[in-house]
Amino acid sequence: MDLFLLKNGQTNIDNIYALGDATVTHYQHVPELTMQAALAWPAHRLAHIIANQIAGDKSITHEGFLGTNIVKFFDYHIAIFGLSEKKWRTFPTLLSIRNKR
């Protein structure tokens, strides 16, 4: 079961918050595209946001993830940022921005 999050880390059920592998969120730069981020950093960031929300600080919200991942594999550093080219091409608004440059 996937849990979709609101900006404050809350699920669609009142007073139930979620983070980690079971959550579904969106890309910051493409809000209409949902994603799962089964990584430690996104869970840590959501934990920070949820803790602040519960403590009463409503100013810190979840605006989506950038989708940045970096891994070192022996002598190689491998990084990705955001959408794959295949997914990127499915968004005409992003293509039109690129073509205007």
Side-chain angles (χ1 to χ4, degrees):
M1 178 171 122
D2 294 331
L3 299 171
F4 292 89
L5 300 179
L6 303 174
K7 283 183 142 189
N8 62 359
Q10 187 173 318
T11 65
N12 59 342
I13 304 167
D14 284 343
N15 298 314
I16 302 294
Y17 296 82
L19 57 96
D21 296 358
T23 61
V24 175
T25 185
H26 60 277
Y27 286 99
Q28 194 172 47
H29 49 288
V30 189
E32 60 271 17
L33 181 62
T34 59
M35 67 172 290
Q36 278 187 291
L39 300 167
W41 189 89
H44 179 266
R45 179 70 184 142
L46 278 171
H48 173 75
I49 291 168
I50 291 168
N52 280 279
Q53 292 286 325
I54 292 170
D57 181 1
K58 307 296 184 196
S59 67
I60 300 173
T61 59
H62 172 65
E63 302 299 328
F65 292 123
L66 294 175
T68 304
N69 298 298
I70 303 169
V71 66
K72 183 175 180 181
F73 184 72
F74 296 102
D75 292 334
Y76 297 95
H77 293 86
I78 304 164
I80 61 169
F81 178 79
L83 303 174
S84 67
E85 185 176 356
K86 183 179 179 181
K87 281 189 178 179
W88 182 77
R89 290 189 181 282
T90 64
F91 288 90
T93 53
L94 294 178
L95 287 173
S96 67
I97 291 169
R98 180 176 186 232
N99 292 334
K100 287 180 184 177
R101 291 185 187 170

